[in-house]
C-alpha cells in the first residue's frame, strides 16, 4: 500500500510537469526558436539521466536492439517532440495538451496491431469518443492556424504512440531508465545541428533570465524528472493504474494556460475535453475491471 501511495504521488508530479510543459513551452517559443528549445531540453535532461543511469544496475544493450533504441530517440524524442512543440506554437497550450491526451487510446490501437493485444468493445468506444472529441475541438477553431497546430499535434501523438509500443517491448528486456537515457541522448545529437542552424538564421532571440529559467525548468522538471518518475511509477504499480492519471495533464495545462497565458475556454473546447478525457478514464476503468475478473477466476 505504501508503494502504491508513493507511485500515485510520483504520477501526479509527472503529469503536472508534462502539463506545465505546454504552458512554459508556449512562453519560451515567443522568444527562442523551437529546435533550440528541444536541443537545450535534451542536453540538460540527458546529462541528468546519464548520471542517474550510472548509479543503476543495467545490462548491456545487444546489437540487434540498437535499431529500436535509435527509433525511440529519433522518432519518439526528436520528431514527435518537435512536432508537439510546433503544435503548441500554432494553436495554444490547452488545445495541444488536450489532443495529446488521446495518447493512451492511440497506444491501444498500435498495441493491438503490433503486439496483438486484444481490442475490446470498451476500447473501441474509447477510440470513438477520442476521435469525436478531437473533431469537436477542430470544429471549434475559427483560425486556420489553430487547425494546423492541432493536426501537427495529432501527428506528434501518432508518432509517440507508435514509439511507446516499441518502448513497451524493449523495456521487457532492458531497464526503462536506460532506454530513456539513450533515447534522449540520441534526440539531443539529432536536434543539435538543426538548432545551431536555426540560431544562426534567427535574428531576434531574447535570452533574458526568465527564458533561461524556463529552459532549465523544461530540461530538469518536464523532461528529466518527469521521465524518471514515470519509469519509477511503472516499476511500482500496473501500467493501467498509471494511465489513470493521464487526465491530470490536460487539466493542468488548461489551468496554467488560463492563469499565465490568458487563454480562453469555449464550449467546443469543454465538450471536446469531456469526450477525450472521458474516453481515457473509461478505458482505464474497463482495463481494471478485466484485471479484477481475471484474478477472480483464478
Amino acid at each position: 500500500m505504501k508503494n502504491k501511495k508513493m507511485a500515485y504521488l510520483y504520477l501526479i508530479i509527472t503529469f503536472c510537469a508534462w502539463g506545465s510543459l505546454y504552458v512554459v513551452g508556449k512562453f519560451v517559443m515567443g522568444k527562442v526558436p523551437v529546435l533550440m528549445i528541444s536541443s537545450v531540453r535534451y542536453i540538460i535532461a540527458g546529462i541528468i539521466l546519464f548520471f542517474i543511469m550510472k548509479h543503476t544496475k543495467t545490462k548491456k544493450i545487444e546489437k540487434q536492439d540498437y535499431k529500436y533504441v535509435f527509433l525511440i530517440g529519433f522518432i519518439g524524442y526528436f520528431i514527435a517532440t518537435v512536432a508537439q512543440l510546433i503544435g503548441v506554437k500554432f494553436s495554444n497550450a490547452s488545445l495541444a495538451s488536450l489532443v495529446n491526451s488521446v495518447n493512451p487510446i492511440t497506444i491501444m490501437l498500435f498495441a493491438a496491431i503490433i503486439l496483438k493485444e486484444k481490442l475490446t468493445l470498451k476500447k473501441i468506444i474509447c477510440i470513438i469518443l477520442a476521435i469525436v472529441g478531437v473533431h469537436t475541438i477542430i470544429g471549434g477553431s475559427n483560425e486556420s492556424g489553430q487547425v494546423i497546430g492541432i493536426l501537427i499535434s495529432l501527428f506528434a501523438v501518432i508518432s509517440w504512440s507508435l514509439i511507446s509500443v516499441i518502448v513497451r517491448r524493449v523495456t521487457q528486456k532492458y531497464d526503462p531508465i536506460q532506454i530513456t537515457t539513450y533515447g534522449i541522448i540520441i534526440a539531443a545529437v539529432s536536434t543539435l545541428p538543426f538548432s545551431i542552424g536555426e540560431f544562426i538564421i534567427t535574428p531576434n532571440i531574447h535570452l533574458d533570465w526568465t527564458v533561461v529559467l524556463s529552459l532549465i525548468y523544461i530540461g530538469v522538471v518536464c523532461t528529466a524528472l518527469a521521465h524518471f518518475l514515470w519509469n519509477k511509477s511503472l516499476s511500482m504499480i500496473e501500467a493501467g493504474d498509471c494511465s489513470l492519471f493521464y487526465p491530470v495533464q490536460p487539466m493542468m495545462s488548461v489551468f496554467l494556460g488560463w492563469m499565465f497565458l490568458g487563454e480562453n475556454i469555449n464550449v467546443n473546447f469543454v465538450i471536446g475535453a469531456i469526450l477525450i478525457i472521458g474516453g481515457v478514464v473509461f478505458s482505464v476503468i474497463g482495463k481494471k475491471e478485466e484485471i479484477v475478473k481475471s484474478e477472480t477466476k483464478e
Side-chain angles (χ1 to χ4, degrees):
M1 181 60 70
K2 185 178 179 181
N3 281 344
K4 279 191 174 183
K5 288 182 179 179
M6 288 303 298
Y8 295 156
L9 176 61
Y10 294 158
L11 287 165
I12 290 172
I13 295 172
T14 297
F15 285 107
C16 283
W18 281 342
S20 68
L21 172 62
Y22 292 88
V23 178
V24 180
K26 183 73 173 180
F27 166 73
V28 175
M29 278 187 288
K31 301 181 178 182
V32 179
V34 172
L35 292 174
M36 184 176 173
I37 295 172
S38 295
S39 182
V40 173
R41 171 190 184 184
Y42 287 132
I43 289 171
I44 294 173
I47 292 171
I48 293 172
L49 289 172
F50 181 78
F51 282 106
I52 293 174
M53 186 186 69
K54 281 297 181 181
H55 291 84
T56 306
K57 292 183 179 179
T58 58
K59 61 181 291 187
K60 185 178 180 181
I61 295 177
E62 298 174 6
K63 288 184 178 180
Q64 65 266 25
D65 295 323
Y66 286 171
K67 58 181 177 292
Y68 298 118
V69 177
F70 175 78
L71 286 174
I72 291 167
F74 187 75
I75 298 197
Y77 295 139
F78 173 46
I79 300 295
T81 303
V82 169
Q84 184 185 70
L85 287 172
I86 294 173
V88 173
K89 184 174 182 179
F90 281 98
S91 56
N92 62 50
S94 302
L95 285 171
S97 181
L98 270 172
V99 174
N100 189 62
S101 69
V102 180
N103 258 313
I105 297 172
T106 51
I107 288 173
M108 286 182 196
L109 279 172
F110 284 117
I113 296 170
I114 298 173
L115 302 178
K116 308 301 180 183
E117 293 184 0
K118 188 177 180 181
L119 190 61
T120 63
L121 177 61
K122 287 184 178 180
K123 290 181 180 180
I124 293 173
I125 293 172
C126 297
I127 293 167
I128 293 172
L129 285 173
I131 292 172
V132 173
V134 173
H135 177 74
T136 302
I137 292 173
I138 294 176
S141 299
N142 296 321
E143 300 177 15
S144 60
Q146 280 197 349
V147 175
I148 293 172
I150 292 168
L151 292 175
I152 293 173
S153 295
L154 278 173
F155 170 77
V157 166
I158 293 170
S159 301
W160 177 256
S161 298
L162 177 60
I163 292 303
S164 294
V165 173
I166 295 176
V167 169
R168 183 176 180 180
R169 173 176 287 179
V170 175
T171 51
Q172 300 302 308
K173 190 174 181 180
Y174 305 104
D175 193 307
I177 194 67
Q178 181 183 16
I179 298 301
T180 303
T181 302
Y182 289 143
I184 285 178
I185 291 173
I186 290 170
V189 173
S190 301
T191 311
L192 188 59
F194 295 99
S195 65
I196 292 173
E198 193 178 47
F199 178 78
I200 294 172
I201 65 174
T202 303
N204 297 316
I205 297 177
H206 304 284
L207 286 175
D208 55 31
W209 68 272
T210 58
V211 174
V212 172
L213 287 178
S214 297
L215 289 172
I216 293 173
Y217 176 83
I218 290 172
V220 176
V221 178
C222 300
T223 309
L225 178 64
H227 279 82
F228 174 74
L229 292 182
W230 172 247
N231 290 332
K232 183 69 174 177
S233 300
L234 285 171
S235 69
M236 296 171 70
I237 61 176
E238 294 291 330
D241 292 334
C242 293
S243 298
L244 183 61
F245 288 79
Y246 255 98
V248 173
Q249 180 176 324
M251 290 302 95
M252 179 57 63
S253 293
V254 170
F255 175 73
L256 294 177
W258 166 75
M259 179 175 286
F260 295 106
L261 302 180
E263 295 182 352
N264 297 320
I265 299 175
N266 57 29
V267 175
N268 290 75
F269 182 90
V270 174
I271 295 173
I274 292 171
L275 289 169
I276 293 173
I277 295 171
V280 173
V281 173
F282 184 62
S283 69
V284 173
I285 291 174
K287 185 174 182 179
K288 290 179 73 176
E289 287 178 353
E290 289 173 7
I291 293 172
V292 171
K293 287 180 182 179
S294 177
E295 290 177 348
T296 304
K297 288 181 181 179
E298 292 178 357

